Amino acid sequence: MPPDSAPPDQPRAEVRRAQILAAAGDCFRSKGFHGASIAQISKIAGMSPGHIYHYFENKEAIIAAIVAQDLEHVLAMTASLRAACNMKEAMVEHVADGVERNLEPRAAGLNLEILAEAARNPHVAEIVRSADRVCRDSLALTLRDMRRASGHDDDEATIAGMIEVLAAMFEGLASRSIRNPDLDRSVVVRLFQGALRDLLSQNS
């Protein structure tokens, strides 16, 4: 078999991993990280605990895979923005998707549970922080290219500050989805788009 050929059972393995991650997400949301057991995850996933351990060493490894999935989405998004003809407008247009994604109740609950565990567990904290560093680096590259195209020459502190503002805006939606599930999403999208345009147009 050529080195770059996938093993015959790889698609099945990917399906199994996806089943485990979905089941684990349900368990973490409903019972918390410590309340969720591998036995409970395996029951929801429809497989034995042994099968779970075949793919993941422990619950922390499952969290790492969930975080990696979210990171993959962000990296794909920033890459698509950099490929756009008008990066600024592409980012503004992406606001609606970002708002909906961060307000989705199941995803919001899971993300908040992972962050809560990161506040208690140094290993989970490093998983979250490592992913965040990669995310910030990719977004910094995107923002720097975008700002240079508009004639701005920003220092690293300015770009880093913009990233933190953007992160606070979108990541804060998770808690708002729980505190105020009936918020008007269309208004939030419109105001976020205006805030983003203002942020990206500021002088250094």
Side-chain angles (χ1 to χ4, degrees), residues 76-194:
M77 181 267 293
T78 53
S80 70
L81 291 176
R82 289 194 294 273
C85 295
N86 187 324
M87 287 186 285
K88 181 178 177 180
E89 286 307 308
M91 181 173 278
V92 171
E93 290 175 5
H94 185 76
V95 165
D97 178 69
V99 169
E100 287 299 321
R101 184 177 176 85
N102 284 280
L103 284 176
E104 201 282 312
R106 289 167 58 85
L110 179 57
N111 288 336
L112 291 174
E113 180 58 37
I114 290 174
L115 286 178
E117 182 59 23
R120 300 183 291 260
N121 185 326
H123 294 107
V124 174
E126 182 51 36
I127 290 169
V128 170
R129 290 168 185 166
S130 177
D132 190 69
R133 285 191 292 270
V134 175
C135 178
R136 294 198 313 269
D137 287 345
S138 182
L139 189 52
L141 179 61
T142 305
L143 287 176
R144 193 172 292 109
D145 288 349
M146 185 186 308
R147 294 275 291 172
R148 283 175 178 166
S150 299
H152 299 281
D153 186 17
D154 302 302
D155 56 26
E156 291 185 7
T158 298
I159 294 295
M162 288 183 171
I163 290 170
E164 292 304 326
V165 170
L166 290 173
M169 286 172 59
F170 286 94
E171 292 178 17
L173 291 172
S175 63
R176 298 309 306 159
S177 72
I178 294 173
R179 292 177 183 273
N180 183 18
D182 298 323
L183 61 83
D184 190 328
R185 300 185 179 203
S186 63
V187 172
V188 171
V189 168
R190 175 169 55 81
L191 294 177
F192 265 40
Q193 287 176 328

Side-chain angles (χ1 to χ4, degrees), residues 9-44:
D9 62 344
Q10 183 170 331
R12 179 180 176 85
E14 291 173 355
V15 170
R16 289 294 196 186
R17 281 175 58 88
Q19 287 177 317
I20 293 168
L21 295 181
D26 288 342
C27 283
F28 293 157
R29 273 189 299 269
S30 62
K31 301 179 181 300
F33 181 78
H34 291 284
S37 67
I38 292 295
Q40 291 167 334
I41 294 171
S42 67
K43 183 176 181 180
I44 294 177

